[in-house]
Amino acid sequence: MLFKQQALLRQKLFVLGSLAIGSVLYLVARVGTLDRLQPICPVDSRLSAPEPEQIPLRTLQFKRGLLHEIRKGNATKEQIRLHNLVQQLPQAIIIGVRKGGTRALLEMLNLHPAVVKASQEIHFFDNDQNYARGIDWYRGKMPFSFPHQITIEKSPAYFITEEVPERIFKMNSSIKLLIIVREPTTRAVSDYTQVLEGKERKNKTYHKFEKLVIDTNTCEVNTKYKAVRTSIYTKHLERWLKYFPVEQFHIVDGDRLITDPLPELQLVERFLNLPSRISQYNLYFNATRGFYCLRFNIVFNKCLAGSKGRTHPEVDPSVVTKLQKFFHPFNQKFYQITGRTFNWP
């Protein structure tokens, strides 16, 4: 009888002990959960008002997918209407310079949630046939965007084409103009390299760079060669300054954009009156390609096409020196006009 009573008592104590331990474990887990939840949504952050300018930018980041679907042609007219999407004329244009880094600049600026880019070069202002189609045709080539985004297009031929400054002025006299430049001799060699590659793909022969860039009759720099003329930046800029004040231009260092892009992009953000949103997180160096690639988010990364960063041919050092001396006075004038100095020879 005593044995049965002792067994029953031990059973009751076991049940009570289990309940007590379970209660303690629940309380510990509950407190731990509350501790973890507290920092996520503190009371003061719920009460404080968000910065007004950040609201549309956050919204745009979530709606990038919709714009992507529109570019692919998958969005309906109803979606476009509901989201108040429009095709805007560009508020900024990358007008040049060819082989200065115009594509890289456009793609990097597209990291900003308030920027929408025209994917293809439109060639509206430098092509008479396109220009004759009118401004509505041009607008129709622009991507859909939200009203508070800015649209940017790039066509590097604009910088060197005589009719373009006046035509752009007639469209928008207050437009912002971006010019990305590289050291003039390096840019000329890069220009030659692109043409050479195109010739080789078609199994065509092409002169050596030295033969094109030096006039064999005078032994001086051949200014009739387009790659040389394009690198005389000040000559082209002076034509633009007949229509636009220098304050509407921003000069981007194309050489620095290759080696250290973030500071250059931050300068462009300020020029375009955009809040600073592009960070080092968005740019990572790809050792295989030898230049920076773009990180839009944790899922989507993008590198420029494999045609970027072509290997340049070896050029006779004496020709390089002659070109550098030729460009030097033009470079000095370019620094004076733009207020930006480069470490060019």
Side-chain angles (χ1 to χ4, degrees), residues 13-76:
L13 288 172
F14 176 77
V15 172
L16 290 171
S18 298
L19 288 171
I21 292 170
S23 298
V24 171
L25 290 174
Y26 171 78
L27 289 171
V28 169
R30 180 65 177 164
V31 170
T33 302
L34 290 172
D35 286 343
R36 289 194 300 273
L37 289 175
Q38 186 66 24
I40 295 176
C41 190
V43 174
D44 57 350
S45 72
R46 290 201 302 269
L47 295 176
S48 60
E51 296 178 20
E53 73 175 11
Q54 290 183 347
I55 295 173
L57 290 179
R58 284 201 200 100
T59 303
L60 293 173
Q61 286 173 321
F62 284 109
K63 291 183 177 178
R64 271 190 182 272
L66 175 62
L67 294 175
H68 181 64
E69 291 302 308
I70 291 171
R71 282 195 293 271
K72 293 194 300 182
N74 295 337
T76 64

Side-chain angles (χ1 to χ4, degrees), residues 309-322:
R310 297 178 180 90
T311 302
H312 291 180
E314 290 288 334
V315 178
D316 185 331
S318 65
V319 172
V320 171
T321 301
K322 185 181 281 288

Side-chain angles (χ1 to χ4, degrees), residues 42 111 174 231-232 259-260 280 283 288 308 330 340:
L111 288 164
S174 62
S231 284
I232 307 175
T259 59
D260 187 17
Q280 198 61 58
L283 304 158
T288 304
K308 304 301 178 184
F330 298 111
R340 183 154 195 188

Side-chain angles (χ1 to χ4, degrees), residues 182-304:
R182 297 189 68 190
E183 190 277 312
T185 301
T186 303
R187 195 222 63 81
V189 175
S190 182
D191 197 330
Y192 167 83
T193 304
Q194 178 171 304
V195 176
L196 176 65
E197 185 180 275
K199 296 284 186 182
E200 289 176 342
R201 274 201 308 268
K202 298 175 182 177
N203 294 319
K204 293 183 177 180
T205 57
Y206 197 50
H207 294 297
K208 290 189 67 176
F209 177 76
E210 292 85 345
K211 189 170 183 179
L212 292 169
V213 84
I214 301 297
D215 187 324
T216 52
N217 295 321
T218 64
C219 293
E220 298 298 328
V221 172
N222 179 16
T223 54
K224 293 180 181 178
Y225 179 40
K226 189 175 180 180
V228 170
R229 292 200 313 273
T230 301
S231 284
I232 307 175
Y233 305 138
T234 186
K235 290 285 187 182
H236 306 291
L237 183 58
E238 284 173 344
R239 183 170 58 250
W240 284 84
L241 290 171
K242 293 176 183 177
Y243 295 91
F244 300 96
V246 71
E247 292 78 18
Q248 283 177 233
F249 296 88
H250 177 73
I251 310 301
V252 180
D253 185 341
D255 294 306
R256 192 183 184 197
L257 194 75
I258 296 170
T259 59
D260 187 17
L262 184 58
E264 287 299 316
L265 295 173
Q266 290 172 333
L267 289 173
V268 178
E269 284 179 323
R270 287 200 286 274
F271 173 69
L272 297 176
N273 296 320
L274 294 172
S276 180
R277 290 294 180 273
I278 302 173
S279 68
Q280 198 61 58
Y281 169 81
N282 301 119
L283 304 158
Y284 66 96
F285 187 76
N286 186 312
T288 304
R289 289 177 173 267
F291 49 79
Y292 280 85
C293 295
L294 316 179
R295 181 185 290 115
F296 287 83
N297 52 47
I298 197 169
V299 176
F300 180 50
N301 298 340
K302 180 178 183 178
C303 287
L304 296 179

